[in-house]
Amino acid sequence: MLQALTGGPNLFNQRGPRPKPKDIPMTVVDALKTRISTRAFLDKPVSEPVIRAILEAAKYAPSGGNLQPWHVHVVTGEDLARLKAIIREKQVDNPRGEGSEYHIYPPELTEPYKARRYKTGEDLYATIGVTRDNKMGRLIQFARNFEFFGAPVALFFSIDRQMQPGQWSDLGMFIQSVMLVATEMGLATCAQEAWAIWYKTLGEYLPVPAEHMLFCGMALGYADPDAAINTLRTQRADLSEFVTFRGY
Ligand SMILES: Cc1cc2nc3c(=O)[nH]c(=O)nc-3n(C[C@H](O)[C@H](O)[C@H](O)COP(=O)(O)O)c2cc1C
């Protein structure tokens, strides 16, 4: 049903070859392995029924005590254009935004996380030929976050301030569910914590109720298959680095 809405999965953005004929539905493993953070989108709208279908499926994400502690703001069309224009104007005097209400990364990030973050940044900029010393090139790419990389739909996720780490984890599962369902539907996404630096402006514009904290944005749309930046394929650590088995 989901694929019928979009004409089937878009297979170009796979992390590894998908060893199945196209008429076999995408499995969860396929979706996990083919989802990537897409940073260039086609100028092609996504209809409201499609967005609703994604959220209708993603809402079955689990949450401790079934609290379902998520809120989604969906913005498109003229409303999205206006928001982007506001940020564009504010960025001129304030490229670092308004700060953020939470630390996007730990202030003193240690290894191995620091090296992973560094490599991801380097690999990303390499896809578009931006070298380490090209500060302007890096700034321009960062600013692309606030254009939603050209995506036609923006999602923002917020959570009630009373919520604890457990509920933030629930929110993460919900966000991943959104991204996997979108992948199944042939759509592409990029979660964007960068939007946290504009929390005040977003708080007023969306609006985000005072008792909620904005976590992140998400670009959603159809990936541009010709964009160099979409060729990035990030790697993952071997199980031996993060799994401890006992009893096997
Ligand atoms: C919560 C969250 C926030 C993110 N924020 C940003 C962001 O602001 N800008 C961006 O370009 N990528 C962002 N990313 C994408 C990550 O860099 C990406 O997930 C990671 O490098 C792994 O690559 P992959 O998603 O292609 O597998 C974010 C990802 C997550 C899960």
Side-chain angles (χ1 to χ4, degrees), residues 90-98 139 142 146 197-198:
K90 290 194 175 198
Q91 263 177 333
V92 177
D93 295 329
N94 203 1
R96 290 175 184 275
E98 298 156 340
L139 210 63
F142 180 66
F146 307 109
I197 71 169
W198 291 109

Side-chain angles (χ1 to χ4, degrees), residues 121-134:
E122 292 306 298
D123 290 352
L124 174 70
Y125 290 119
T127 64
I128 50 173
V130 171
T131 52
R132 180 118 205 96
D133 51 354
N134 184 352

Side-chain angles (χ1 to χ4, degrees), residues 15 35-37 39 120 145 149 190-194 215-216 234 236:
R15 193 158 292 182
R35 183 214 56 79
I36 59 159
S37 291
R39 297 183 180 88
T120 301
N145 271 289
F149 309 114
C190 185
Q192 295 180 273
E193 275 171 330
F215 172 41
C216 69
T234 53
R236 296 295 186 273

Side-chain angles (χ1 to χ4, degrees), residues 5 45-56 74 76 153 185 187 220:
L5 278 166
V46 180
S47 71
E48 187 179 336
V50 170
I51 300 296
R52 284 185 179 277
I54 292 171
L55 298 173
E56 282 289 352
V74 184
T76 190
V153 180
M185 295 175 75
L187 289 158
L220 190 151

Side-chain angles (χ1 to χ4, degrees), residues 87-119:
I87 299 295
R88 225 175 280 139
E89 202 182 311
K90 290 194 175 198
Q91 263 177 333
V92 177
D93 295 329
N94 203 1
R96 290 175 184 275
E98 298 156 340
S100 58
E101 287 201 276
Y102 65 94
H103 288 296
I104 293 178
Y105 296 105
E108 304 292 334
L109 193 63
T110 57
E111 298 299 348
Y113 315 107
K114 204 171 160 181
R116 289 176 187 163
R117 184 182 174 200
Y118 181 85
K119 176 171 168 37

